[in-house]
Amino acid sequence: MILVTGGLGYIGSHTIVELIKNNYEVVVVDNLSNSKREVIDKLKKITGKDIPVYINDLCDKKALRQIFQDNIIDSVIHFAGFKAVGESVEKPLMYYRNNIDSTLTLLEVMEEFNCFNIIFSSSATVYGSPKSLPIKEDFPLSTTNPYGSTKLFIEQILKDLYTSNNKFNITILRYFNPIGADESGLIGEDPRGIPNNLMPYIVKVATGELEILSVFGDDYDTVDGTGVRDYIHVTDLARGHVLSLKNQNGLRIYNLGTGHGTSVLELVNTFEKVNNIKINKKIVPRRPGDIAECFASCDKAFKELGFKAEKTIEDMCRDAYNYVKNNE
Ligand code: NAD
Ligand code: UD1
């Protein structure tokens, strides 16, 4: 059985769909701090399976022990954590407490129950401002905000744990920019409040909930002056987890992206085209802390896992909007 922490969230829920397609049995723990209970029913609709879900905080060791007692857990996919960069700058202690304490508690309980297989959600943010592109896994690491630091510190904790006990199989996945939604339109990205990330913001302009998209800078040294990122469809990302699970062996680190960069204006134009809708936009100054361009080298994940993203930017734009239209 696979324990999926944070399994009711955006990436976790899509990964559960892929796990079940691949005949894995899944149990979920989530404290609903950034997700809704209704995802449980939606997962049942998509997969036809009743998935056991524990509504608990991962920092609650007693509750976590109970989950390991009730279920025979072979591997853990660890998504749970807070992820908003701006909020992490305002509330660093909350971020360090939640992201690091939950991971330490999880790892301690895993050791107690002789469960030595874990996949961890890291982020391209650990590369800081990369010195060249595409970004490879052995590039130097640095961060510019507490959220990114929690990812970097957890990566270090996992590396130290592996050194101390090489029974562990640890896979660190560094995601680039996941967007899009399951093609059923039942699950997707549902940020609370005003979104910080580009695609959720575009979608809210499309639905009329927000008036106008601010494009943060058009004077970068990129194809059209706007920021370039490696957007990956969340279903492709989810498949990457299944492939990682099938190839666990020692300490491994992979980028999960497409290897292609897309600019803000390219993404907006594609969104307008595939959904036949106009997105109001204005150019504003750069967002502090942003880098011009970021995309992954995906060679390692392809060579060692056989992972290759398949879905296009068109798919991502269509599915992201479809989910929100379905759930308005
Ligand atoms: P999400 O917020 O949608 O999902 C995280 C889930 O974890 C939520 O359902 C939340 O309720 C739960 N959670 C948080 N703290 C918990 C705790 N202490 N105990 C139990 N449950 C808890 O986020 P997501 O986009 O699905 O991201 C999943 C992981 O991937 C996170 O670790 C995130 O940092 C990482 N990541 C996300 C992105 C992205 O763009 N979405 C990019 C890189 C890395
Ligand atoms: C952000 C996070 C990063 C995290 C990543 C994936 C910041 C500073 N960084 O990065 O740590 O790993 O998300 O979750 O928040 N943009 C606009 N207008 C908007 C929003 C964004 O023009 O309203 C632009 C940005 O300047 C950027 C691109 O769109 O060029 C993508 O932005 P975003 O979706 O926030 O992702 P990242 O900047 O890659």
Side-chain angles (χ1 to χ4, degrees):
M1 200 165 220
I2 314 297
L3 175 64
V4 181
T5 78
L8 301 183
Y10 174 48
I11 305 170
S13 58
H14 288 81
T15 302
I16 289 171
V17 172
E18 292 304 307
L19 287 169
I20 289 177
K21 266 193 209 159
N22 284 271
N23 300 316
Y24 285 100
E25 283 198 67
V26 169
V27 54
V28 174
V29 57
D30 199 301
N31 67 357
L32 298 177
S33 58
N34 195 35
S35 51
K36 295 186 182 140
R37 213 179 263 275
E38 66 201 40
V39 172
I40 302 173
D41 295 333
K42 292 181 171 174
L43 284 172
K44 183 168 182 188
K45 261 197 192 149
I46 299 171
T47 64
K49 287 251 155 68
D50 265 316
I51 298 154
V53 178
Y54 290 81
I55 304 298
N56 286 122
D57 196 301
L58 263 193
C59 303
D60 179 348
K61 198 171 206 172
K62 217 170 131 208
L64 197 54
R65 283 196 177 114
Q66 191 61 50
I67 299 172
F68 276 80
Q69 235 143 36
D70 295 349
N71 303 278
I72 298 170
I73 294 169
D74 310 304
S75 298
V76 177
I77 309 185
H78 179 34
F79 295 103
F82 293 153
K83 63 166 182 177
V85 173
E87 188 182 49
S88 81
V89 176
E90 283 158 29
K91 299 176 181 167
L93 298 183
M94 187 174 102
Y95 269 67
Y96 287 118
R97 170 65 71 194
N98 189 55
N99 292 5
I100 294 183
D101 194 0
S102 60
T103 305
L104 290 174
T105 309
L106 173 67
L107 293 171
E108 283 168 358
V109 174
M110 284 177 67
E111 260 196 328
E112 264 178 49
F113 283 82
N114 291 316
C115 174
F116 296 114
N117 302 311
I118 182 165
I119 296 175
F120 172 63
S121 303
S122 189
S123 166
T125 195
V126 299
Y127 294 114
S129 197
K131 61 178 186 329
S132 65
L133 293 165
I135 298 174
K136 291 192 181 163
E137 286 83 351
D138 59 3
F139 273 25
L141 306 179
S142 69
T143 60
T144 52
N145 57 72
Y147 164 70
S149 299
T150 69
K151 293 296 173 194
L152 202 54
F153 295 164
I154 294 169
E155 285 201 7
Q156 189 59 48
I157 290 167
L158 290 168
K159 289 172 189 168
D160 291 341
L161 180 65
Y162 180 71
T163 305
S164 78
N165 181 352
N166 61 17
K167 273 196 217 150
F168 269 100
N169 295 308
I170 296 174
T171 305
I172 293 170
L173 298 179
R174 297 182 180 144
Y175 311 153
F176 280 65
N177 290 58
I179 57 172
D182 186 71
E183 57 184 21
S184 66
L186 289 168
I187 53 173
E189 190 169 16
D190 211 355
R192 294 181 180 169
I194 297 177
N196 298 304
N197 296 117
L198 180 59
M199 180 56 97
Y201 206 105
I202 294 175
V203 166
K204 284 195 190 254
V205 174
T207 59
E209 207 177 311
L210 293 169
E211 211 174 303
I212 190 162
L213 171 73
S214 296
V215 175
F216 297 144
D218 67 349
D219 55 351
Y220 286 109
D221 184 15
T222 61
V223 58
D224 56 20
T226 64
V228 166
R229 296 292 183 274
D230 186 344
Y231 297 98
I232 175 168
H233 195 292
V234 66
T235 299
D236 277 333
L237 189 71
R239 273 197 310 109
H241 292 74
V242 175
L243 289 169
S244 299
L245 205 54
K246 290 181 176 164
N247 288 282
Q248 285 224 287
N249 183 12
L251 176 67
R252 293 172 171 231
I253 301 177
Y254 300 106
N255 288 338
L256 290 183
T258 66
H260 301 290
T262 302
S263 76
V264 175
L265 292 181
E266 286 169 341
L267 191 69
V268 172
N269 291 341
T270 306
F271 189 95
E272 291 184 325
K273 203 171 73 202
V274 299
N275 295 313
N276 196 19
I277 190 165
K278 177 105 187 67
I279 301 298
N280 293 325
K281 59 180 186 295
K282 62 176 180 204
I283 309 292
V284 302
R286 295 178 178 192
R287 178 170 67 180
D290 269 358
I291 54 176
E293 198 162 4
C294 169
F295 55 89
S297 161
C298 304
D299 294 352
K300 195 173 174 215
F302 181 64
K303 227 160 97 194
E304 297 184 16
L305 303 175
F307 175 76
K308 194 171 189 318
E310 286 165 359
K311 296 205 180 240
T312 61
I313 290 287
E314 282 80 5
D315 297 329
M316 302 178 211
C317 290
R318 189 197 53 235
D319 293 342
Y321 190 40
N322 183 39
Y323 166 69
V324 172
K325 274 190 301 185
N326 257 334
N327 292 276
E328 264 181 300

